[in-house]
Amino acid sequence: MPLRSVRTRIAPSPTGEDIHIGTLQTALINMAVARKNKGKFIIRIEDTDRVRLVEGAEKKYLQTLKSYNITHDEGPDIGGKYGLYRQSERLELYKKHALELIKKRVAYYCFCSMERLVELREKQIKEKMHTRYDKHCLLHVKDVEERINRNESYVIRLNVVPDKKIVFDDLIRGQITIASNEIDDQVLLKSDGFPTYHLAVVVDDHYMEITHIIRGEEWISSTPKHILLYEAFGWDLPLFAHTPLLRNPDKSKLSKRKNPVWASWYIKEGFLPEVMLNFLALLGWSHPEEKEIFPLDEFIDLFKLEEIKPVGPIFDLVKLKWMNQQYIQNKSDEDLKKLIIDFSPDAKNIPDQTLSKLMPLLKSRMETLVDFAKLTGIFFDKFGEQSFNQEEKDIASSLVNDLSKIKDWKNDTIFNIIKASMVLNKLKMPVFYKIFTGETRGLPLPETLEILGQEKSIKRLKEVLGK
Ligand code: GLU
């Protein structure tokens, strides 16, 4: 094969609410392979399944990928040299190729009714046979042209030759062999004129000059069908790599019930896009120096497809949170402030200086950006629990007294007063958190009160007394 410049792609079907977190990982890997080799990364929308099509999905997918800084070089939104990037706009091309296969006798027309196919299937199940099409139309229908002229509905099927071995190299899994006897005579063109995935994906990957097909392992069983098509057209094979399916901590397939699977959920929950990419990079691959935290550029630099392990990596939310916290901790105060303001525009209601002072405190306590609002309620006059018993009110009352006397409002003086009250009343810190914030924990209290100011701290205590 002549040396071609690297072109990779993802080809999502707009049939879901959002980009699946597994697809986000595939996108990351495809983008990394393209960038590493100074190639191109393409997004193609595979919208040929008209029944499962979800209105607005394509737009959402593109938005979500953008929010993770997964950037493409060609796609339905930005175009490119390789024509249209939405399959529904390329129907003529697929039809032409289906007919070419008919001419080559690699494919055939099938007029079977749904009833016959259902009956055949039931019979095969009953007889404990593999369920597959029985080549009835290939073997018995002689008046093909007349039936087409009569406008009879038909599909075009691939004629899979029995007793053949289909062998291909997977960059992650090594050699894979599948017997042609395992493969059904796949429909290539449906009666509505739309291609099936198998025909469209091969035609497009060929014409878009894709060099590496990197996709999830659930597509392995489709690959031999595609190889038969490449062979029938006389086209060079691309390289194949099937990435391992992500798993829940209990090893089951990542599913909505156990882990959120839609990529934008994580952004809404305050995970940083760069953290998610770092986390996904490590699902199946390890850094040569065993590093856990590294930027995207380093991943692109070091990563090799061949190093991905084929066993299902665990998507562990606890680790993701830990990683997010690490990134937050390592941000400069200014950068964290910007991130917070973007995420919770309300933050702007806190005077900028106060907000800046909060950054060092927040860094040590925030796991996600959502925590900002949870930890700073007191600055917005938003409190958690609002009912107080007599003991709590008595403490608040004596704190009003003691805190009012402070001349130099500094955290160590505030701490001494709280500490004295703790000892005197034999109480623990959560009670004091509750009195001031309505929560049982939060940012270091004396420091927070110093930033909040004497007047506001005392005002809060007086409110507690009135409850
Ligand atoms: N349309 C397929 C999907 O929804 C693409 C699979 C492939 O990458 O070949 O994921």
Side-chain angles (χ1 to χ4, degrees), residues 196-234:
T196 57
Y197 158 67
H198 302 293
L199 175 63
V201 80
V202 169
V203 168
D204 285 347
D205 285 336
H206 172 71
Y207 284 107
M208 293 183 179
E209 295 181 23
I210 303 301
T211 54
H212 296 61
I213 296 190
I214 307 160
R215 59 185 166 206
E217 73 177 277
E218 68 272 32
W219 302 101
I220 292 183
S221 61
S222 298
T223 305
K225 298 172 192 171
H226 303 169
I227 289 180
L228 291 177
L229 290 173
Y230 279 98
E231 282 174 359
F233 287 121

Side-chain angles (χ1 to χ4, degrees), residues 5-12 19 22-45 61-62 64-66 68-82 85 205 208-215 277 296 300:
S5 62
V6 167
R7 292 176 55 82
T8 63
R9 55 49 161 193
I10 55 163
I19 286 278
T23 310
L24 184 64
Q25 190 198 28
T26 315
L28 166 68
I29 296 174
N30 274 283
M31 180 177 81
V33 170
R35 301 270 175 273
K36 194 179 173 70
N37 294 287
K38 312 225 167 349
K40 300 276 186 242
F41 167 55
I42 290 116
I43 296 182
R44 180 176 69 232
I45 297 293
Y61 286 15
L62 293 172
T64 301
L65 289 166
K66 194 164 170 210
Y68 278 101
N69 297 317
I70 299 282
T71 50
H72 53 292
D73 303 295
E74 297 164 30
D77 52 342
I78 51 174
K81 277 200 299 207
Y82 291 75
Y85 292 84
D205 285 336
M208 293 183 179
E209 295 181 23
I210 303 301
T211 54
H212 296 61
I213 296 190
I214 307 160
R215 59 185 166 206
L277 298 191
L296 179 62
I300 292 175

Side-chain angles (χ1 to χ4, degrees), residues 360-362 364-365 411 429 433 442-450:
L361 302 188
L362 285 165
S364 60
R365 301 287 162 115
N411 69 69
M429 209 49 189
Y433 269 109
L443 299 180
L445 198 52
E447 284 82 351
T448 307
L449 297 178
E450 178 186 323

Side-chain angles (χ1 to χ4, degrees), residues 359-420:
M359 290 305 132
L361 302 188
L362 285 165
K363 265 188 215 174
S364 60
R365 301 287 162 115
M366 274 171 79
E367 281 185 328
T368 68
L369 294 175
V370 166
D371 291 339
F372 170 76
K374 288 192 197 153
L375 291 167
T376 54
I378 192 170
F379 290 89
F380 296 95
D381 283 330
K382 279 193 189 134
F383 302 98
E385 170 94 36
Q386 292 280 43
S387 66
F388 299 93
N389 59 31
Q390 196 49 50
E391 185 187 24
E392 288 161 344
K393 286 184 183 175
D394 289 346
I395 291 166
S397 159
S398 72
L399 284 172
V400 170
N401 224 343
D402 298 341
L403 292 177
S404 305
K405 287 186 198 134
I406 297 182
K407 294 263 154 12
D408 187 15
W409 186 253
K410 283 272 176 296
N411 69 69
D412 45 1
T413 339
I414 302 167
F415 173 76
N416 288 339
I417 288 174
I418 292 178
K419 180 86 206 216

Side-chain angles (χ1 to χ4, degrees), residues 94-109:
Y94 310 123
K95 176 119 193 214
K96 183 175 145 227
H97 284 80
L99 295 177
E100 187 182 323
L101 293 177
I102 294 260
K103 246 201 229 134
K104 290 185 162 168
R105 300 185 164 281
V106 191
Y108 60 93
Y109 290 99

